[in-house]
Amino acid sequence: MSAEFTGGETRETLAIPAIQTVVTRIWEEVLRIDGVTATDDFFELGGHSLAASQVISRMTRDLHVRLTLAEFFERPTVRELSEFAHAAAPERS
């Protein structure tokens, strides 16, 4: 797994529902649509690789998580991306 958080976030501070809310907002902004759900497929909603790159950039900015385009393509739903971002957060020591 090469996704990583760039700030001081931990699994405890970023719950999956909070991450899903942010990812949903980002998708709606990038795709210029409303009503995205956790199980919608990015590419079925009209997304493409350039739009995916914009989502990745905004996730880095807003959630401090880095992921590759390949990792995004493997997880094309809000739920899958959110779970991946949550799992990438460092555990609190």
Side-chain angles (χ1 to χ4, degrees):
M1 176 184 320
S2 62
E4 61 184 61
F5 279 78
T6 59
E9 300 82 359
T10 65
R11 286 190 180 106
E12 291 81 10
T13 60
L14 283 174
I16 291 174
I19 295 169
Q20 283 185 354
T21 298
V22 174
V23 174
T24 298
R25 176 186 48 80
I26 291 170
W27 282 29
E28 289 178 342
E29 290 172 358
V30 169
L31 297 174
R32 298 179 185 189
I33 60 174
D34 292 321
V36 172
T37 69
T39 57
D40 285 333
D41 184 286
F42 182 78
F43 302 102
E44 290 176 6
L45 294 175
H48 47 76
S49 59
L50 181 58
S53 294
Q54 292 174 342
V55 169
I56 290 168
S57 175
R58 292 177 190 204
M59 284 181 68
T60 300
R61 179 192 70 202
D62 297 350
L63 295 171
H64 308 286
V65 64
R66 293 185 186 153
L67 68 152
T68 67
L69 193 56
E71 289 166 336
F72 184 96
F73 274 60
E74 293 170 2
R75 296 158 183 88
T77 69
V78 169
R79 178 175 294 143
E80 291 169 322
L81 270 182
S82 300
E83 289 171 353
F84 185 70
H86 182 263
E91 292 188 45
R92 184 173 289 169
S93 18

